[in-house]
């Protein structure tokens, strides 16, 4: 048997050798060929042996002219053949240019990487790859090198000589995997969370791992695990970043400014995570390309790449079902579609019942006799994106998104032996459209021209049987913007960005009542424009971004200049430091009204700055931090100070005697954020802590300075993730934080007369604090495959597994049946709530 195998092996080697010899018989060493050509054509070649000794080429045709011979040699080698006279020919690399081509692929799955940047180092020459990953370049200096870079992949440098072939050599790029010792962390707390070099935190939804209590990568719930990010009432519609209100967060979906964040009136995110590629959260040191959002910028981006591959998925949880698909139409045209709808108007699950009670515990729905009312609530969202590549360097992208919440409830009562039915409704929606043109003019200069339209509406109709009054409320925001952004790369380490923005915002508020007949409509429009510029330097251990934004408000004839800074320096292999600072402004805010509201469910309405009673909100912020990393242990400590001017009392939601005062003031917050994250192959555990002091200052109040409604002095969270295998994972964690401030009535004088009305006589604002908030959550996930192409996973999540009854808000109302004529009203957090999700992906 061994002899037979040996004979077969020898026979195989002989066949291969003969075949190879036949295929290479036409190739000869250039050094030998030049000697023969000197004799045949009676010419002399002047060359260095080192330049020609490694070159082999096919033999030229016989009996061709010297001119054609030199053309042949120039085309088939890296060398420059140039005649000095009729007999002497010089051979060198001097001034030789060649045509190159290559095919850039992902090293893991060998898929082409569209729009990979290809630059000739040291020359103003470059291009990008097409949808097959192929690029072509002419007139490339033969001794030059090319750099190939693609986002989240390692940059690769290759000699032009290696690409001198008509076969377009395959070039494999490896995904960027950085150790925790680098400034940028590829895995932060859990898979799919990253720390960017500019300090922002990025959520990659495709790679999302697991977090306590979550059954899906809910975009806005996930960011609440970051230090300095709170929600005093558990709602993602009320995210508080470093002591700011929710309306001070700039929320962008593919560049469209969104005015509506959550379904179920804030308990779950309104943005489908399965078509959202990544989300970045910036608390300070924001790029000058962004305005508004004096507390934070939350930037959601969908996939921007044509894959030429049909893919998609779908699933359900105990509230809704969704699906998404990416459909290639042509080689340069693709369509991305997603849709989600709740089934809460058809099926009541334990999750739905708890969410419903939590959302509607403090309004006219919950106060009615359940036997005489019927409620229907549902939500949906859908989006689509058209990706069209006109050429390798020019592309068009069009986006559309629509989000809606819809509530109807029917109330029956009897009057004069007659049954009367009254229907009340609440509808809340946000629609957004954007179109953009991306152009790469050369290897260094690129531009993006874009425009978006955002339309937010909330309207309600409500019948109050006690007063026999029918009331309608309407709030509408229309915003359009045109933006031109340009970027010039001086080198691999230095880039320069500039931009122009033209923006118009219109806000309308309408209230009407039938008895007595009353109608009021307020409409405001603001036109503004801006120019921004910034320069970015990134080399080795240094990252620095300096920017400025000049805003001009046409309506007010007013300029506002905003400097920005973001510096990160790695000191050694263990430590890095960072400095961030910014001035920002915003011209929209949410007014909170406890009486003139939408069914008592949504108490906030958007209003526009008039530079008088509602001024432009302006912020100044500075933060300094230090980070330590070694052996997959990451520790970060950041101190910050932020001051926000131009806030009004009507925007804050005071439950006290000042709630109806139209006063202008500010708040200042100072604090320290700490996070420690330790990871092993199967474990990721972390603890984060935030200490802050957050105070208002209003000149007309007494006292002038007092605790902010969002003053959470101490906030501690911890979690433990364990992977039993690549398929089975669990996560357990909890939150313990101080209670928010609230105001009590004056003891012994709890009520006073205000005209014909009796009102609560509150003490000095925010002197009291609620009990500490405590919650433990648990979740688990299991992945499995139906086939190689179809993958699935099941997730279980349990919120508040100890069923802790946390008070998240408290205020007082007049109640003559109670002692002291007042009654305390408490709002509570979610009780123990299970949820489950099942998903498939292909």
């Amino acid at each position: 048997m061994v002899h037979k195998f040996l004979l077969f092996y020898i026979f195989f080697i002989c066949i291969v050798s003969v075949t190879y010899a036949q295929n290479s018989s036409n190739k000869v060493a250039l050094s030998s060929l030049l000697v023969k050509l000197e004799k045949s054509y009676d010419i002399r070649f002047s060359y260095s042996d080192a330049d020609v000794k490694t070159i082999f080429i096919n033999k030229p045709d016989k009996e061709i002219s010297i001119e054609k011979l030199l053309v042949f040699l120039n085309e088939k080698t890296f060398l420059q053949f140039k005649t000095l006279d009729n007999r002497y020919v010089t051979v060198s690399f001097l001034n030789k240019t060649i045509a190159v081509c290559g095919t850039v692929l992902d090293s893991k799955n060998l898929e082409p990487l569209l729009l990979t940047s290809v630059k000739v180092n040291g020359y103003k020459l470059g291009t990008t790859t097409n949808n097959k990953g192929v690029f072509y370049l002419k007139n490339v200096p033969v001794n030059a090198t090319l750099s190939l870079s693609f986002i989240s992949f390692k940059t690769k440098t290759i000699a032009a000589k290696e690409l001198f072939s008509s076969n377009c050599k395959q070039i494999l790029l490896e995904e960027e995997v950085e150790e925790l010792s680098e400034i940028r962390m590829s895995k932060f707390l859990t898979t799919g969370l990253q720390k960017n070099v500019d300090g922002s935190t990025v959520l990659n939804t495709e790679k999302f791992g697991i977090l306590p209590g979550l059954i899906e990568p809910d975009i806005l719930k996930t960011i609440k695990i970051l230090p300095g990010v709170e929600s005093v009432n558990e709602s993602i519609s009320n995210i508080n970043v470093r002591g700011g209100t929710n309306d001070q967060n700039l929320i962008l979906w593919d560049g469209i400014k969104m005015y509506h964040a959550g379904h179920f009136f804030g308990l779950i995110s309104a943005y489908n995570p399965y078509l959202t590629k990544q989300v970045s959260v910036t608390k300070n040191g924001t790029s000058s390309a962004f305005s508004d959002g004096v507390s934070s910028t939350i930037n959601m981006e969908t996939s921007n790449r044509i894959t030429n591959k049909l893919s998609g998925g779908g699933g359900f949880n105990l509230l809704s079902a969704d699906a998404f698909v990416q459909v290639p139409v042509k080689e340069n045209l693709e369509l991305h579609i997603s849709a989600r709808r709740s089934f809460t108007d058809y099926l009541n699950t334990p999750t739905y019942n708890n969410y419903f009670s939590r959302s509607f515990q403090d309004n006219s729905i919950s106060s009615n006799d359940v036997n005489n009312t019927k409620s229907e609530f549902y939500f949906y969202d859908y989006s689509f994106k058209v990706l069209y590549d006109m050429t390798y360097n020019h592309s068009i992208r069009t986006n559309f998104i629509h989000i809606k919440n819809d509530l109807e409830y029917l109330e029956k009562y009897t009057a004069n032996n007659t049954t009367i039915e009254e229907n009340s409704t609440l509808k809340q929606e946000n629609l957004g459209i954007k179109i953009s043109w991306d152009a790469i003019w050369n290897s260094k200069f690129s531009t993006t021209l874009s425009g978006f339209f955002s339309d937010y509406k909330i309207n309600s109709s409500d019948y109050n049987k006690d007063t026999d009054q029918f009331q309608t409320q309407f709030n509408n925001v229309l915003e359009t913007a045109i933006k031109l952004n340009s970027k010039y790369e001086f080198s691999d380490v230095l880039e320069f960005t500039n931009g122009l923005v033209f923006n118009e915002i219109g806000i309308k508020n309408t209230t009407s009542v039938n008895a007595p007949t009353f109608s009021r409509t307020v409409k405001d429009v603001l036109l503004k424009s801006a120019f921004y510029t910034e320069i970015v330097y990134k080399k080795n251990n240094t990252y620095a971004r300096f920017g400025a934004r000049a805003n001009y408000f046409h309506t007010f004839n007013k300029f506002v200049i905003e400097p920005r800074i973001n510096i990160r320096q790695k000191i050694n292999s263990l430590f890095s430091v960072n400095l961030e600072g910014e001035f920002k402004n915003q011209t929209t805010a949410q007014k909170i009204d406890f009486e003139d509201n939408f069914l008592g469910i949504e108490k906030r309405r958007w209003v526009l700055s008039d530079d008088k009673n509602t001024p432009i909100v302006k912020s100044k912020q500075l933060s300094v931090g230090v980070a330590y990393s070694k052996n997959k242990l990451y520790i970060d400590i950041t101190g910050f100070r932020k001051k926000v001017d131009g806030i009004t009392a009507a925007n804050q939601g005071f439950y006290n005697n000042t709630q109806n005062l139209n006063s202008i003031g500010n708040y200042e917050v100072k604090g320290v954020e700490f996070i420690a994250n330790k990871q092993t192959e199967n474990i990721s555990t972390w603890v984060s802590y935030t200490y802050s002091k957050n105070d208002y200052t209003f000149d007309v109040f007494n006292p002038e300075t007092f605790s902010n409604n969002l003053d959470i002095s101490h906030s501690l969270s911890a979690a433990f993730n364990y992977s039993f295998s690549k398929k089975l994972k669990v996560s357990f964690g909890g939150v313990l934080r101080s209670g928010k401030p609230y105001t009590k009535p004056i003891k012994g004088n709890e009520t006073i007369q205000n005209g014909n009305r009796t009102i609560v006589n509150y003490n000095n604002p925010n002197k009291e604090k609620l009990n500490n908030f405590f919650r433990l959550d648990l979740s688990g996930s299991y992945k499995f495959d139906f086939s190689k192409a179809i993958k699935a996973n099941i997730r279980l999540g349990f919120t508040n597994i100890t069923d802790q009854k946390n008070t998240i808000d408290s205020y007082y109302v007049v109640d003559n049946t109670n002692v002291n004529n007042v009654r305390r009203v408490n709002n509570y957090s979610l009780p123990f709530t299970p949820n489950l999700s099942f998903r498939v992906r292909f």
Side-chain angles (χ1 to χ4, degrees):
M1 183 69 182
V2 175
H3 295 296
K4 289 182 179 179
F5 177 78
L6 183 60
L7 287 173
F8 173 78
Y9 179 75
I10 294 172
F11 175 74
F12 176 77
I13 293 298
C14 290
I15 292 296
V16 171
S17 299
V18 170
T19 304
Y20 178 79
Q22 289 175 344
N23 290 338
S24 44
S25 61
N26 291 329
K27 295 214 171 191
V28 296
L30 180 60
S31 57
S32 300
L33 179 62
L34 293 180
V35 173
K36 292 179 181 179
L37 293 176
E38 285 180 335
K39 293 178 181 179
S40 301
Y41 288 89
D42 191 23
I43 56 177
R44 292 292 180 266
F45 293 99
S46 175
Y47 57 88
S48 167
D49 290 337
D51 290 343
V52 300
K53 67 179 182 180
T54 59
I55 300 177
F56 292 82
I57 65 171
N58 292 325
K59 296 177 182 178
D61 295 336
K62 294 180 180 180
E63 299 179 357
I64 62 173
S65 65
I66 292 179
E67 290 78 11
K68 290 185 178 180
L69 173 67
L70 296 181
V71 171
F72 171 83
L73 293 173
N74 277 317
E75 289 180 348
K76 300 301 181 181
T77 70
F78 305 129
L79 301 169
Q80 178 76 38
F81 290 80
K82 187 177 181 182
T83 57
L84 293 179
D85 54 31
N86 292 333
R87 195 162 180 231
Y88 289 93
V89 179
T90 60
V91 183
S92 69
F93 288 108
L94 187 62
N95 298 325
K96 172 71 175 183
T97 61
I98 57 177
V100 299
C101 74
T103 304
V104 185
L105 306 174
D106 185 334
S107 62
K108 283 188 177 180
N109 51 31
L110 299 182
E111 289 188 355
L113 295 178
L114 171 67
L115 292 179
T116 299
S117 173
V118 182
K119 298 178 183 178
V120 182
N121 297 321
Y123 298 87
K124 294 182 179 180
L125 189 62
T127 187
T128 57
T129 56
N130 61 18
N131 53 11
K132 294 181 180 179
V134 177
F135 68 89
Y136 299 92
L137 270 176
K138 294 180 180 180
N139 302 318
V140 179
V142 68
N143 285 326
T145 58
L146 284 75
S147 291
L148 297 91
S149 58
F150 189 79
I151 188 169
S152 76
F153 282 75
K154 293 181 180 178
T155 298
K156 190 166 190 174
T157 302
I158 190 168
K161 297 175 186 177
E162 297 183 39
L163 304 176
F164 180 66
S165 170
S166 60
N167 295 328
C168 292
K169 175 182 177 178
Q170 288 189 354
I171 306 166
L172 304 181
L173 295 189
E174 297 179 353
E175 190 171 0
E176 186 79 58
V177 180
E178 301 187 37
E179 299 297 325
L180 290 177
S181 58
E182 299 295 330
I183 293 175
R184 179 180 183 270
M185 296 178 60
S186 60
K187 181 182 178 182
F188 177 58
L189 307 184
T190 186
T191 53
L193 271 180
Q194 298 175 328
K195 286 285 284 185
N196 261 4
V197 68
D198 66 353
S200 62
T201 303
V202 176
L203 167 63
N204 186 323
T205 56
E206 289 183 353
K207 299 179 180 179
F208 178 75
I210 189 170
L211 289 173
L214 297 190
I215 57 164
E216 58 187 4
D218 188 296
I219 292 166
L220 298 179
K221 278 187 177 180
T222 301
I223 70 174
K224 292 198 296 181
I225 70 169
L226 303 177
V229 181
E230 303 284 349
S231 176
V232 294
N233 65 353
E234 283 189 318
S235 166
I236 55 90
S237 288
N238 192 20
I239 292 177
N240 317 119
V241 180
R242 289 182 174 172
T245 52
N246 182 74
D247 58 347
Q248 294 173 359
N249 301 317
L250 171 63
I251 299 179
L252 297 171
W253 184 85
D254 257 353
I256 305 171
K257 184 178 178 182
M258 305 299 290
Y259 288 86
H260 177 49
H263 286 315
F264 234 125
F265 303 100
L267 291 181
I268 58 176
S269 170
Y271 306 99
N272 192 326
Y274 299 104
L275 205 58
T276 304
K277 181 77 173 177
Q278 70 173 29
V279 186
S280 63
V281 182
T282 306
K283 295 185 282 188
N284 194 9
T286 314
S287 166
S288 61
F290 299 107
S291 184
D292 295 326
V294 296
S295 283
S296 75
T297 299
I298 302 169
N299 188 20
M300 296 170 278
E301 298 176 278
T302 61
S303 176
N304 207 39
R305 174 183 159 200
I306 293 178
T307 61
N308 284 317
K309 180 181 178 181
L310 178 65
S311 61
F316 65 87
N317 54 42
L318 297 184
L319 294 173
S320 62
D322 72 277
F324 71 95
V325 65
Q326 299 182 358
V327 183
V329 180
K330 294 167 59 178
E331 190 177 65
N332 63 340
L333 180 63
E334 192 161 293
L335 185 62
H336 297 177
I337 306 170
S338 75
R340 170 172 56 173
R341 192 192 188 281
S342 69
F343 42 73
T344 52
D345 46 339
Y346 299 105
L347 177 65
N348 289 353
T349 64
T351 307
Y352 168 76
N353 292 333
N354 286 352
Y355 274 45
F356 190 90
S357 299
R358 162 64 184 81
S359 294
F360 306 136
Q361 63 181 295
D362 184 25
N363 52 69
S364 54
I365 295 178
S366 63
S367 62
N368 282 320
D369 182 354
V370 295
N371 295 319
N372 295 323
T373 63
K374 179 182 179 183
S375 302
E376 274 195 6
F377 171 76
Y378 69 90
F379 62 82
Y380 66 77
D381 59 75
Y382 61 90
S383 67
F384 65 80
K385 182 172 185 175
V386 179
L387 301 87
Y388 174 56
D389 291 344
M390 297 180 290
T391 66
Y392 301 148
N393 296 329
H394 295 267
S395 59
I396 299 289
R397 300 292 184 262
T398 303
N399 308 75
F400 178 88
I401 186 171
H402 188 205
I403 300 164
K404 187 171 184 179
N405 286 285
D406 195 299
L407 169 69
E408 293 189 17
Y409 76 96
L410 182 68
E411 182 180 5
K412 296 181 180 180
Y413 63 96
T414 302
N416 299 323
N417 297 322
T418 303
T419 300
I420 300 174
E421 295 184 354
E422 294 291 348
N423 191 39
S424 296
T425 63
L426 174 62
K427 301 180 188 297
Q428 188 177 29
E429 57 187 314
N430 203 158
L431 179 149
I433 304 171
K434 181 191 173 187
I435 184 168
S436 64
W437 168 35
D438 296 304
I440 301 173
W441 301 103
N442 55 48
S443 61
K444 293 182 176 293
F445 185 64
S446 61
T447 60
T448 300
L449 177 64
S450 63
F452 78 77
F453 168 76
S454 184
D455 181 7
Y456 167 81
K457 294 187 184 78
I458 180 170
N459 60 78
S460 68
S461 59
D462 182 25
Y463 178 75
N464 188 324
K465 68 177 181 180
D466 296 327
T467 60
D468 193 26
Q469 189 178 72
F470 186 77
Q471 177 176 270
T472 62
Q473 301 278 341
F474 180 69
N475 181 216
N476 183 208
V477 182
L478 293 174
E479 179 169 359
T480 56
I482 298 174
K483 181 177 181 180
L484 175 63
N485 184 85
S486 69
K487 183 169 76 171
Y488 185 83
E489 299 183 27
F490 292 102
S491 65
D492 292 337
V493 300
L494 189 65
E495 62 185 44
F496 188 44
T497 301
N498 294 284
L500 287 170
V501 183
F502 300 94
N503 180 275
E504 185 182 61
I505 307 173
I507 296 183
K508 181 179 180 180
N509 279 287
T510 300
T511 301
S512 64
V513 181
N514 69 331
T517 302
F518 169 80
S519 181
R520 179 184 62 194
T521 297
V522 179
K523 184 176 181 181
D524 297 298
V525 177
L526 176 63
L527 179 65
K528 59 182 180 177
S529 55
F531 169 76
Y532 61 86
T533 183
E534 70 182 22
I535 190 163
V536 178
Y537 174 82
K538 44 188 176 181
K539 185 177 182 181
N540 299 331
N541 298 325
T542 303
Y543 175 87
R545 183 173 67 203
F546 302 93
R549 187 181 181 98
N551 304 276
Y552 179 65
F553 302 93
H554 299 257
T555 309
F556 311 141
N557 191 24
K558 188 173 187 178
F559 270 105
V560 174
I561 308 297
E562 299 171 341
R564 314 277 176 87
I565 184 173
N566 191 319
I567 300 175
R568 227 158 266 271
Q569 177 65 49
K570 192 173 180 183
I571 300 173
N572 53 38
S573 61
L574 299 178
F575 290 96
S576 63
V577 294
N578 66 278
L579 171 68
E580 297 170 336
E582 65 181 23
F583 284 33
K584 293 183 79 176
N585 82 87
Q586 67 180 65
T587 53
T588 55
Q590 284 186 315
K591 178 183 178 182
I592 302 175
D593 197 322
F594 297 107
E595 297 178 0
D596 195 13
N597 57 54
F598 300 89
L599 303 189
I601 301 167
E602 181 57 81
K603 303 175 178 67
R604 298 172 297 180
R605 64 176 69 231
W606 287 99
V607 295
L608 191 61
S609 172
D610 58 12
D611 204 33
K612 293 179 182 178
N613 296 324
T614 307
I616 299 172
V617 180
K618 300 176 184 177
S619 70
K620 302 174 184 177
Q621 185 176 185
L622 182 69
S623 60
V624 179
V626 59
Y628 168 88
S629 57
K630 185 179 180 181
N631 298 329
K632 294 190 176 182
L633 171 64
Y634 176 80
I635 299 174
D636 188 296
I637 302 175
T638 300
F640 64 90
R641 183 170 184 171
K642 180 175 72 173
K643 185 177 182 181
V644 178
D645 292 298
I647 63 172
T648 65
N651 296 355
Q652 305 308 306
F654 290 124
Y655 282 111
N656 49 46
N657 295 345
T658 64
Q659 62 182 267
N660 295 317
L661 293 178
N662 188 21
S663 176
I664 298 171
N666 66 67
Y667 73 84
E668 185 171 2
V669 56
K670 296 170 282 188
V672 177
E673 299 167 352
F674 167 85
I675 189 165
N677 178 210
K678 174 63 178 176
Q679 300 184 35
T680 66
E681 183 177 351
N682 297 320
I683 294 172
S684 177
T685 184
W686 69 88
V687 59
S688 73
Y689 170 74
T690 302
Y691 168 78
S692 65
K693 186 70 177 78
N694 192 352
D695 288 328
Y696 287 123
T697 298
F698 285 94
D699 292 341
V700 299
F701 287 7
N702 185 21
E704 291 183 359
T705 301
F706 55 94
S707 293
N708 193 303
N709 291 343
L710 306 176
D711 181 28
I712 305 297
S713 302
H714 305 276
S715 180
L716 175 70
S717 66
F720 178 82
N721 288 0
Y722 185 77
S723 300
F724 292 94
S725 65
K726 290 184 178 180
K727 295 183 177 181
L728 181 61
K729 300 178 181 180
V730 295
S731 181
F732 173 74
V735 178
L736 173 63
R737 60 171 169 80
S738 306
K740 71 183 289 283
Y742 75 104
T743 307
K744 282 185 175 181
I746 295 177
K747 189 173 183 179
N749 188 24
E750 285 80 5
T751 61
I752 57 174
Q753 288 297 122
N754 183 18
N756 296 325
R757 296 174 58 205
T758 301
I759 62 173
V760 178
N761 185 25
Y762 283 101
N763 208 330
N764 291 338
N766 293 346
K767 288 184 63 176
E768 312 295 331
K769 283 208 170 186
L770 298 174
N771 293 333
N772 291 340
F773 180 97
F774 176 69
R775 192 186 73 220
L776 292 176
D777 302 325
L778 177 68
S779 61
S781 71
Y782 179 73
K783 296 180 179 179
F784 58 96
D785 299 338
F786 286 113
S787 66
K788 289 184 178 180
I790 303 177
K791 303 181 182 298
N793 70 68
I794 295 177
R795 293 177 185 257
L796 281 170
F798 303 95
T799 302
N800 195 3
I801 58 177
T802 62
D803 201 24
Q804 179 80 12
K805 192 172 184 178
N806 293 301
T807 304
I808 56 177
D809 201 3
S810 186
Y811 61 96
Y812 291 80
V813 295
V814 174
D815 187 347
N816 294 325
T817 63
N818 265 14
V819 178
N820 300 323
N821 298 324
V822 294
R823 173 170 54 89
R824 180 171 173 173
V825 179
N826 290 326
N827 289 338
Y828 298 101
S829 65
L830 270 175
F832 169 72
T833 303
N835 206 346
L836 172 149
S837 75
F838 172 76
R839 301 201 62 80
V840 294
R841 189 176 189 126
F842 62 88

